[in-house]
């Protein structure tokens, strides 16, 4: 009663009146309601939001916006509104003092409150400007609320003026209409964005500058979509990444929190200190002590992510509005007395609610995806930073493949999970709400449905647990497969030379088969789980309805009960479907989380293992691994040579000085900065100049000086673009010697105090080696004032060293100057005397010969294609649509019959589903006789039978689809593997191994797991949409007028979206490869990067690549939201039209059909969105099939084998080689690399091949093995033209000991004999002759000793001897030595040479010579110049002729 007095003095104006508002053909609120609620509601909203919003603005300063015209207008309108409100207040006071009647209190209170609120609004507008807010959602909602409330009052006032003119107060009417006009202006102004704040970034993302409306509808991306529709999007069309999403912001937060967490855990650990790696290996009792990566991720990304929880909550509540409105609509159709505006009101309400729901849901997804994107950035950054500091022992526990997988696969898993993680609390909430409304509807019989659901939970849990174990097994197989592929691609040349492709193909196929077995088990499980979750909602509905009608025969199943329940069951279906998916997603993520945690917890290098002192201290070290106790003091500025046999610990000594090994006790002190040249040069994929300058500042004069001193000037003249030439991955287009010289030049250019040189002269010619020693390393060289530690096998340099360290088995046995050591008669003088016969001045300058001596041709070959990544980018981005042939190829891979059966089962399932719901609508329309439905038992029986057959169809479909998917992925992987192995060498030089590995990991993973799922979902959503449309059309044929228009709109939006989306996906995938390629490269060169202290630059470079990738990813997720909002709008329109036409035709519609129609329409929105998402996902993922098929069209080598073989067994028996007019070129548009060679080499002859760099020495061997096919002429071996043979027939009958000793991970035995074609005795004999028997016998596993990736647990010399053992095992009539003793000391070289002389006595030997003394006793020597024969005769004759050979021998000190 008090409230009525507040509104009118005499209480004549009530607050609420049902007859006035609801039960009337012309509804209106009471005057009191207008003056209170409709005025106070917006005010209340603003006063509640303001404090929170102002605090938020204070902490999120975006910059300062200068006063603009828009801002002045907003302020002026707010102030005018304030004046209008006060005018009303003053009028009330005036009325009180002058008028006869006293105005009601509300007429004073409401305008006062409104006036104060307008002042607050003015203040917020100005504060936003100062904090850089360009468009405000809080204010827009306020003006919108105020306008909506005012519109209701506006209508009421117009009606009042028309009906009761006498009661109108002219002043209040005038002020209200001015107020209303100003509100509309304010609303319009708040839709416009302000200018950007001062000092904004270049090419910013338009999101910040967009208005609030544009943000919530994602309108701001439309410009990019239009560009993408008109032409393919390019790099320049992408915006800069938002500052909050960049690596420099995201990664340090995660790394910092992770380090804090690790420190915290270390402090909590009691008892003796245990090594981190050991903790990771121990079992559950120490679980509690591991640092929690999950907690760290929550702390880092939780706060931003919490907003999404709020959105999700709102959306969950709004989901239940649909069924409630459906209930009201059905009761409206049943009640013929209800005024018709009720129906239109419900329809409008339905439309508004569904639209708000769509906006909120898309906002939620946007927040989730952005969080996922940041998470991926952070994980990649953290893994990269960790890889740079991980200790060498820990590094050995994870292969390159595994670490790259952490970045690609595991980071992706987290991104996928983030979208669904909220379902963990949201699904139970939805279930509870649905059950509550169902209880309201059907009472206790709902418990039957709940019981069915509860019974299904353990089934899903068991499936999820099994899936997890399969997941782990599959990841393990996948890691092994990628590791093996990685090695095969790195050592592909060796595989081809040895004709080992098939053995390795079988190895990969074996791993792949075990992977597919696991996938098949997972597929069976998947079919069961699909069956349970498709049947779950139906079983729930069936059991509930059955119990409801059977408990009491007076329980009538009418339309309202049945279809509202059905709509609720449909809502229930989503959380029930999602939970298993979320659980399996979480399972996968937990596996990934563990892998990441283990990697990030690995031991790091001891930072204090090397002290960088200012004073020159002596160094006393005690090392684990190879080195025992060492005490050595190296004087400043001296040249120290380290000598010793293979495996004596020379390289380990340098690693120790760099701090790369575990120091057990003692100290290592180093004064000044360090430069390091590793034994195997590490070359980056950038320009030659970039490799030398290595991030230092440009000093042109010094650069020229360094290039000349390192003998690179002649090479620069041959290279097509000089020092701007792009070097391929791992330096593929440089010869061994060039790589080594570039590596040395990099160290010299950096100008450090200490130089650690690990045998840099082993890979260069004698005269070049002498030049480099004199110009760079020696007493007169560029580095003469620096401290130099030189590991060497070259005896000629030793007299010039200040100090020589002699190492034996990890200990320094002698040290002193050359003269001192010669005088002591110790191991060193023995060592020298052994070689005195060879000649004291003999240099180990190895003939610097290229993998392709014709370096120039290869370079042009690679460069005309352009840097490899750009060319792939070009190829990928040009294709704009996925051809139907790709889908056809996939269906063929599955099998056409199986595809057809799957489709048939699917159609059956959906037909049955439609019919069962139609049957339900017929049931609800059955007449009620004496309070019961007589036909209910028959209806129930048929309904149950339909449901059961549906389940059977689904199970069959799911099973056939999954098995089809596995058949397809087996076939596609096999054919790709075969195609890649059949490709010629030139293909591998052009294609970065990162790209190939990406094909075998990412694309195959997509084909294995993603594509079958997407096919299922695509078909599901397509049939759902079709079914819904059919039902709506049957119920309300009028909708047929609207559906074509909406269909067109839908189609246009979808096409419009797919054009841009596909381009963005392609740009994103093109920019993804460089991240992994760069990471791969970094992992191979970590010791060099650390030695030079360039970690920061590399981290920066990696971050840039990640940001570059996210720059393309961000628009693609926004484009998804843009699409979803527009499609959901189309869906919402269909729902509203279905409801609207049902309201119009309520006289002719039965409630059952109307309920059916609207309950289907309510599902339509979700199905439409899914349909487009799935169709675009299908297009983007089917690209994986396209990429895998791509290699079937590239050029291939000749056939491996000819069936039947025309070769006599035991060929070649003589080993006679004849070259007739032999010419060779690297590519058809290049000059000949080898011209017109005519020679005959008799069986058993020993021929040395010598010549300067680029003379064509290696090209000749490549021609012999047909790695490069001849241009003209023939090569005959024992009278057989090799061009007529299969490649394996040829390559398996001649043997090569290659320049780079390649070892694959696996047992030693596998490395010697992958086909298992020799007995153990033969293998041991080969090891004995190659002087490895003692070493292998001392290993615990003997022949089964596991070689690590790249043979890292063997020294380079031991790997070279392993290659010799391979040759001894095959023992063919022809042996080619390609600089085979590059990394070997003099003693081992002698061993190899003597073995070759004794074991291959009756074989034809071709040696590309490096130490001329090794070929002085050969039958003949072939001297090549510019690809032609310069001289060919016995060594003694050539020396007496005093030609080119004589000059070389003189350089080497042999004459």
């Amino acid at each position: 009663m008090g409230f009525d007095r507040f509104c009118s003095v005499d209480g004549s104006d009530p607050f609420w009146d049902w007859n006035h508002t609801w039960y009337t053909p012309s509804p209106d609120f009471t005057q009191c309601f207008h003056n209170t609620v409709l005025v106070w509601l917006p005010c209340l909203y603003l006063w509640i939001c303001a404090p929170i919003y102002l605090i938020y603005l204070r902490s999120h300063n975006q910059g300062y916006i200068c006063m603009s015209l828009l801002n002045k207008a907003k302020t002026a309108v707010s102030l005018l509104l304030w004046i209008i409100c006060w005018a009303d207040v003053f009028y009330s006071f005036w009325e009180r003092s002058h008028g006869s009647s006293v105005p009601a209190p509300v007429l004073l209170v409401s305008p006062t409150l409104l006036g104060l609120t307008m002042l607050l609004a003015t203040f917020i507008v100005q504060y936003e400007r100062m904090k850089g807010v360009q468009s405000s959602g809080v204010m827009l909602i306020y003006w919108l609320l105020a306008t909506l409330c005012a519109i209701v009052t506006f209508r009421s006032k117009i009606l009042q003026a028309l009906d009761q003119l006498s009661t109108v107060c002219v002043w209040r009417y005038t002020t209200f209409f001015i107020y209303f006009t100003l509100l509309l202006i304010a609303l319009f102004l708040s839709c416009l964005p302000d200018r950007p704040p001062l000092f904004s970034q270049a090419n910013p993302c338009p999101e910040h500058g967009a208005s609030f409306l544009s943000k919530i509808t994602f309108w701001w991306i439309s410009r990019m979509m239009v560009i993408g529709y008109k032409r393919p999007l390019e790099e320049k069309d992408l915006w800069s990444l938002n500052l909050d999403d960049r690596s420099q912001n995201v990664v340090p937060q995660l790394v910092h929190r992770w380090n804090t967490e690790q420190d915290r855990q270390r402090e909590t650990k009691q008892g003796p200190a245990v090594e981190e790696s050991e903790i990771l290996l121990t079992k559950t009792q120490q679980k509690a002590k591991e640092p929690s990566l999950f907690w760290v991720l929550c702390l880092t990304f939780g706060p931003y992510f919490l907003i999404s929880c709020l959105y999700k909550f709102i959306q969950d509540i709004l989901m239940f509005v649909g069924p409630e409105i459906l209930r009201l609509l059905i009761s409206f159709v049943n009640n013929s007395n209800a005024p018709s505006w009720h129906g239109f009101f419900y329809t409008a309400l339905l439309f508004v609610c569904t639209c708000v729901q769509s906006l909120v849901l898309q906002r939620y997804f946007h927040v989730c995806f952005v969080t996922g994107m940041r998470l991926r950035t952070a994980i990649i950054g953290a893994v990269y930073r960790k890889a740079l500091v991980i200790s060498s022992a820990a590094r050995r526990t994870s292969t390159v493949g595994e670490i790259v997988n952490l970045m690609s696969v595991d980071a992706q898993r987290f991104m996928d999970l983030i979208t669904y993680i909220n379902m963990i609390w949201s699904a139970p909430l939805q279930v509870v709400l649905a059950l509550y409304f169902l209880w309201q509807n059907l009472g206790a019989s709902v418990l039957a449905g709940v019981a069915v659901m509860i019974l299904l939970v353990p089934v899903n849990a068991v499936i999820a647990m099994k899936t997890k174990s399969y997941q782990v097994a599959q990841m393990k197989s996948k890691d092994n497969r990628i590791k093996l592929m990685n090695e095969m691609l790195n050592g592909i040349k060796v595989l081809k030379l040895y004709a080992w492709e098939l053995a390795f193909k079988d190895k990969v196929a074996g791993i792949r088969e075990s992977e597919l077995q696991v996938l098949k088990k997972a597929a069976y499980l998947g079919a069961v789980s699909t069956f349970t979750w498709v049947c779950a909602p139906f079983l729930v509905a069936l059991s509930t309805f059955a119990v409801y009608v059977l408990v009491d025969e007076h329980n009538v199943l009418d339309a309202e009960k049945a279809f509202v329940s059905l709509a609720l069951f449909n809502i229930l279906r989503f959380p029930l479907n999602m939970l298993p998916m979320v659980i399996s997603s979480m399972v996968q993520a937990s596996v990934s989380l563990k892998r990441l945690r283990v990697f990030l917890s690995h031991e790091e290098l001891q930072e204090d293992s090397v002290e960088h002192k200012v004073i020159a201290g002596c160094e006393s070290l005690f090392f684990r691994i190879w080195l025992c106790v060492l005490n050595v003091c190296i004087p400043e500025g001296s040249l120290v040579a380290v000598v010793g046999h293979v495996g004596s610990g020379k390289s380990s000594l340098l690693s120790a000085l760099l701090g790369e090994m575990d120091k057990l006790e003692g100290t290592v002190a180093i004064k000044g900065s360090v430069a390091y040249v590793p034994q195997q040069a590490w070359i980056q994929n950038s320009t030659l100049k970039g490799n030398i300058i290595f991030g230092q500042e440009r000093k042109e004069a010094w650069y020229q000086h360094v290039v000349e001193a390192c003998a690179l000037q002649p090479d620069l003249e041959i290279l097509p673009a000089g020092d701007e030439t792009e070097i391929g991955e791992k330096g593929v287009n440089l010869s061994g010697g060039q790589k080594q010289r570039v590596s040395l030049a990099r160290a010299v250019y950096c100008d450090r105090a200490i130089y650690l040189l690990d045998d840099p002269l082993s890979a260069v010619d004698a005269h070049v080696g002498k030049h480099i020693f004199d110009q760079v390393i020696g007493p007169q060289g560029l580095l003469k004032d620096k401290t130099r530690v030189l590991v060497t096998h070259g005896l000629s340099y030793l007299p010039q060293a200040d100090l020589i360290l002699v190492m034996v088995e990890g200990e320094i046995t002698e040290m002193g100057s050359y003269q001192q050591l010669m005088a002591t008669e110790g191991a060193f003088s023995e060592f020298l005397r052994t070689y005195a016969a060879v000649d004291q001045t003999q240099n180990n300058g190895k003939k610097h010969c290229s993998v392709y001596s014709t370096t120039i041709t290869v370079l042009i070959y690679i460069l005309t294609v352009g840097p490899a990544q750009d060319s792939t980018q070009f190829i990928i981005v040009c294709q704009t649509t996925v051809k139907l042939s790709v889908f056809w190829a996939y269906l063929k891979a599955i099998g056409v019959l199986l595809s057809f059966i799957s489709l048939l089962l699917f159609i059956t399932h959906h037909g049955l589903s439609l019919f069962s719901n139609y049957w339900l609508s017929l049931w609800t329309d059955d007449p009620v006789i004496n309070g019961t439905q007589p036909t209910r038992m028959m209806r129930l029986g048929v309904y149950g039978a339909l449901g059961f057959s549906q389940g059977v169809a689904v199970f069959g479909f799911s099973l056939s689809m999954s098995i089809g998917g596995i058949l397809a992925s087996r076939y596609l992987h096999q054919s790709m593997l075969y195609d890649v192995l059949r490709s010629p060498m030139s293909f591998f030089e052009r294609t970065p191994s990162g790209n190939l590995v990406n094909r075998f990991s990412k694309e195959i993973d997509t084909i294995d797991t993603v594509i079958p799922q997407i096919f299922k979902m695509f078909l599901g959503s397509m049939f759902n949409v079709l079914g819904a449309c059919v039902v709506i059309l049957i119920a309300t044929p009028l909708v047929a007028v609207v559906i074509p228009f909406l269909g067109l709109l839908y189609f246009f939006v979808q096409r419009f979206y797919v054009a841009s989306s596909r381009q963005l996906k392609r740009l994103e995938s093109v920019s993804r490869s460089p991240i992994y390629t760069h990471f791969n490269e970094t992992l191979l060169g970590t010791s060099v990067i650390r030695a030079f202290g360039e970690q920061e630059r590399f981290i920066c470079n990696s971050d840039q690549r990640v940001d570059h990738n996210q720059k393309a990813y961000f628009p693609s997720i926004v484009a998804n939201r843009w699409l979803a909002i527009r499609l959901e709008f189309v869906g919402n329109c269909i729902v509203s039209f279905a409801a609207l036409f049902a309201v119009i035709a309520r006289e002719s519609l039965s409630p059952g059909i109307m309920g059916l129609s609207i309950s289907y329409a309510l599902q339509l929105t979700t199905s439409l969105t899914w349909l487009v998402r799935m169709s675009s996902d299908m297009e983007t993922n089917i690209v994986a099939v396209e990429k895998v098929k791509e290699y079937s069209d590239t050029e291939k080598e000749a056939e491996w084998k000819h069936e039947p073989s025309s070769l006599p067994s035991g060929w070649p028996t003589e080993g006679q080689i004849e070259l007739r007019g032999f010419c060779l070129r690297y590519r058809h548009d290049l000059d000949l690399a080898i011209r017109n060679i005519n020679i005959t080499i008799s069986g058993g002859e020993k021929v040395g091949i010598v010549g300067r760099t680029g003379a064509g020495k290696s090209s000749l061997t490549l021609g012999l093995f047909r790695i490069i096919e001849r241009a003209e002429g023939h090569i005959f071996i024992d009278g057989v033209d090799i061009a007529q043979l299969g490649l394996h027939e040829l390559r398996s009958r001649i043997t090569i000991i290659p320049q780079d000793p390649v070892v694959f991970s696996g047992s030693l035995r596998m490395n010697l004999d992958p086909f298992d074609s020799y007995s153990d005795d033969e293998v041991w004999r080969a090891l004995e002759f190659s002087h490895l028997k003692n070493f292998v016998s001392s290993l615990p596993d003997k022949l089964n000793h596991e070689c690590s990736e790249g043979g890292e647990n063997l020294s380079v010399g031991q790997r070279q001897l392993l290659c010799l053992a391979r040759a001894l095992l095959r023992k063919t009539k022809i042996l080619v030595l390609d600089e085979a003793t590059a990394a070997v000391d003099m003693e081992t070289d002698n061993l190899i040479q003597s073995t070759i002389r004794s074991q291959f006595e009756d074989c034809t030997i071709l040696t590309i010579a490096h130490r001329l003394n090794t070929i002085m006793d050969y039958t003949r020597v072939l001297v090549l110049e510019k690809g032609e024969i310069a001289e060919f005769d016995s060594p003694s004759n050539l020396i007496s002729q005093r030609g080119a050979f004589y000059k070389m021998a003189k350089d080497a000190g042999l004459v």
Side-chain angles (χ1 to χ4, degrees), residues 567-584:
L568 288 164
F569 284 135
N570 281 332
I571 289 179
L572 205 55
R573 169 184 284 191
F574 184 69
L576 289 183
N577 289 359
M578 286 304 290
L579 267 179
M581 261 181 71
V582 175
I583 291 167
S584 73

Side-chain angles (χ1 to χ4, degrees), residues 1063-1209:
Q1063 289 309 318
L1064 287 168
K1065 272 269 165 61
R1066 286 210 159 122
L1067 282 172
E1068 192 265 333
S1069 86
V1070 164
S1071 60
R1072 196 190 308 123
S1073 280
I1075 299 177
Y1076 308 137
T1077 309
H1078 178 246
F1079 185 48
N1080 240 327
E1081 194 172 81
T1082 307
L1083 283 174
L1084 295 170
T1086 39
S1087 54
V1088 178
I1089 295 169
R1090 286 197 287 252
F1092 283 93
E1094 289 286 329
Q1095 294 96 316
E1096 277 309 310
R1097 182 166 68 86
F1098 274 80
I1099 286 173
C1100 211
N1101 196 332
S1102 170
D1103 285 353
Q1104 276 168 359
R1105 285 167 191 243
V1106 174
D1107 288 348
H1108 189 72
N1109 176 237
Q1110 302 291 36
K1111 206 165 84 170
Y1113 176 71
F1114 179 68
S1116 76
I1117 55 180
V1118 177
N1120 271 334
R1121 306 280 68 81
W1122 177 93
L1123 168 81
I1125 283 218
R1126 278 140 193 78
L1127 291 187
E1128 291 204 358
F1129 179 73
V1130 172
N1132 297 340
C1133 287
I1134 293 179
V1135 175
S1136 308
F1137 279 118
L1140 183 68
F1141 289 132
V1143 168
I1144 292 171
R1146 71 167 167 165
E1147 306 303 326
S1148 59
L1149 261 190
S1150 78
I1153 289 290
M1154 179 183 173
L1156 181 70
S1157 154
I1158 292 177
S1159 66
Y1160 261 102
L1162 284 172
Q1163 290 178 63
L1164 192 66
T1165 312
T1166 326
S1167 302
L1168 272 178
T1169 322
W1170 267 104
L1171 180 62
V1172 172
R1173 265 186 68 178
M1174 287 303 124
S1175 61
S1176 67
D1177 273 7
M1178 197 153 80
E1179 281 203 21
T1180 42
N1181 282 301
I1182 205 83
V1183 172
V1185 177
E1186 187 181 16
K1187 285 180 176 175
V1188 165
K1189 298 291 286 176
E1190 211 173 82
Y1191 293 135
S1192 59
D1193 307 329
T1194 51
E1195 54 171 331
K1196 299 284 174 279
E1197 291 185 309
E1199 284 300 318
W1200 280 342
K1201 279 196 171 62
H1202 288 315
E1203 297 294 340
S1205 176
S1206 54
L1207 275 183
S1209 64

Side-chain angles (χ1 to χ4, degrees), residues 909-929:
H909 155 60
H910 274 276
L912 288 168
S913 167
L914 270 181
F915 188 66
S916 65
N917 284 332
Y918 179 65
W919 183 260
L920 187 66
S921 81
L922 293 177
W923 180 2
T924 61
D925 286 338
D926 276 350
V928 178
I929 301 164

